[in-house]
Every structure is written in structure tokens, then in C-alpha cells.
Amino acid sequence: MDTEQLIQTLARDVEPVTPLRRPSLRATAWVVGAAVYLAALIAVMSPRDDLGARVQDTWFLIEQGAALLMGVTAAAAALASVVPGRSRRILLLPLGPLAVWLGMIGFGALQDAQTLGLGGILVQVNWRCVTAILAGAAVPAVAMAFMVRRGAPLTPRLTAGLGGLAAAGLGNFAVCLSHPHGVDLIWHAGTVLLLAAAAAWIGSHLLRWPQLTR
């Protein structure tokens, strides 16, 4: 087949493709949808009794603000990562909020260790937080998976890990508004990071770009 025939064949068989919207718009749509779902989830679980007092606590506001910002920036980074040619700098956006959030949780864990002792921390079991974070992250994670599959996930592990971090971060934020919790380092930070790692592992199998194109 010569070049002219190849061009004619491609022009005849080509199918129209709807371009994706900008990552910022897609991320905004995802955050709005996740917010509606999480608001309904908080209403079902009911807000924590001391929420009015906690929102006046600067430490609590900074920690939860960092968790929320981590989820939003991770979502933007995940959706930008499936657009070829986009600047890779956006992938660094979640690192700042993540560092602040982990730092504050780590400092709180040190205070708990001084008060309760290491043994006192380890015996505090809080599967309720884990279950609530999983419930909060489930629907946003599924929505994120559908959205990134519409792009070109050339870095499936990174894309899926960022998507998992986004969903888990918002799920954790909702949990902290619904009920008091115990040792954040184990039951909150540990759950969020494990979910992000699990998403990265699953994404390496589900977001293979050659398979999606076929």
C-alpha cells in the first residue's frame, strides 16, 4: 500500500473522537460529585457532637484543610497525568498538603505516645475509622477510575495511586467530621496510604494503555 492509499484508508475509516475537557474542569466535576456523596454519607453517620468546638481549633482546621487539599490536588494530578503533553510539574501538587498532613498527624502521635505510652497506642483498635474511610472513598474511587480510563494512562501506577490518594483523602476528611477518632497515625494515615498503594497496584493491571486502546 502506497502513501496515498494509506491516507485514503485512514481518512475513510477514522471515527470522530470527542476531546477530553481540561483536567481542571474534570477535577472540579469529580470534587463536586464526591462532595455531594460525602455530605450524604456524613448526614447518615451524623456529624460528631463536638464539631462546633473542633472547628474553632486551629490545629484541627489546618490538619483537615491539608487533608482536603491533598485530596483535591491528587485528583487534579491524576486527571492531568492521562493527558499526553501536560506538564509533569502538576504531579507534585499533592506533595505539599500530604507532607503537612502527615507531619501534623505524626506530631499528634508523639503526643499520644507521651501520654499513653507505646503500648497504649498499639492496643487502641479503631476499625470503625477504617470502615468509614473505605465507605467514603469507594464511590469517588470508582468515579475516578472511569474518568482516568477515558484518557491515556501511560503511567498507570502513578495515575491510579494519585486517584486512590484523592479518594482516600476526601474519605478521611469526611470521617473526621462525622465522629471522634483515636490514633491518627495508624488508623487514618495508615489507611489512606495503604489505599493509595493498593490503588497503584490495581491500576498497574487495570490501566494498561495498550489494552485500553485495543
Side-chain angles (χ1 to χ4, degrees):
M1 181 181 295
D2 59 26
T3 303
E4 184 176 351
Q5 289 179 328
L6 176 61
I7 294 175
Q8 292 177 353
T9 301
L10 292 175
R12 183 177 62 251
D13 298 336
V14 69
E15 297 180 0
V17 176
T18 303
L20 291 176
R21 294 185 177 181
R22 290 182 298 174
S24 58
L25 295 178
R26 302 182 73 212
T28 300
W30 181 85
V31 170
V32 171
V36 172
Y37 167 73
L38 293 175
L41 188 64
I42 293 173
V44 171
M45 294 189 295
S46 74
R48 54 191 295 176
D49 296 334
D50 63 344
L51 184 59
R54 295 296 285 164
V55 296
Q56 299 178 15
D57 183 354
T58 303
W59 184 275
F60 178 82
L61 291 178
I62 295 176
E63 180 181 327
Q64 301 313 315
L68 178 61
L69 188 58
M70 174 185 66
V72 172
T73 54
L79 294 171
S81 70
V82 297
V83 181
R86 296 286 298 187
S87 173
R88 301 287 94 179
R89 293 181 180 178
I90 194 173
L91 303 181
L92 302 177
L93 281 179
L95 294 182
L98 175 61
V100 172
W101 182 64
L102 290 178
M104 298 188 73
I105 287 181
F107 183 78
L110 290 177
Q111 291 182 321
D112 290 334
Q114 293 177 351
T115 304
L116 304 174
L118 183 59
I121 290 178
L122 295 178
V123 299
Q124 289 193 20
V125 179
N126 200 340
W127 290 110
R128 182 186 178 189
C129 284
V130 175
T131 303
I133 292 174
L134 289 174
V139 173
V142 171
M144 177 62 70
F146 278 104
M147 294 179 77
V148 296
R149 283 174 65 89
R150 291 195 61 201
L154 302 177
T155 55
R157 289 185 179 180
L158 178 60
T159 297
L162 288 169
L165 181 64
L170 293 191
N172 173 80
F173 174 77
V175 169
C176 292
L177 298 182
S178 63
H179 61 79
H181 41 79
V183 182
D184 290 350
L185 185 62
I186 298 175
W187 300 102
H188 282 249
T191 301
V192 169
L193 296 179
L194 282 177
L195 285 177
W201 181 80
I202 295 173
S204 65
H205 299 279
L206 297 182
L207 297 179
R208 293 182 182 273
W209 174 238
Q211 294 179 358
L212 293 180
T213 54
R214 285 198 299 268

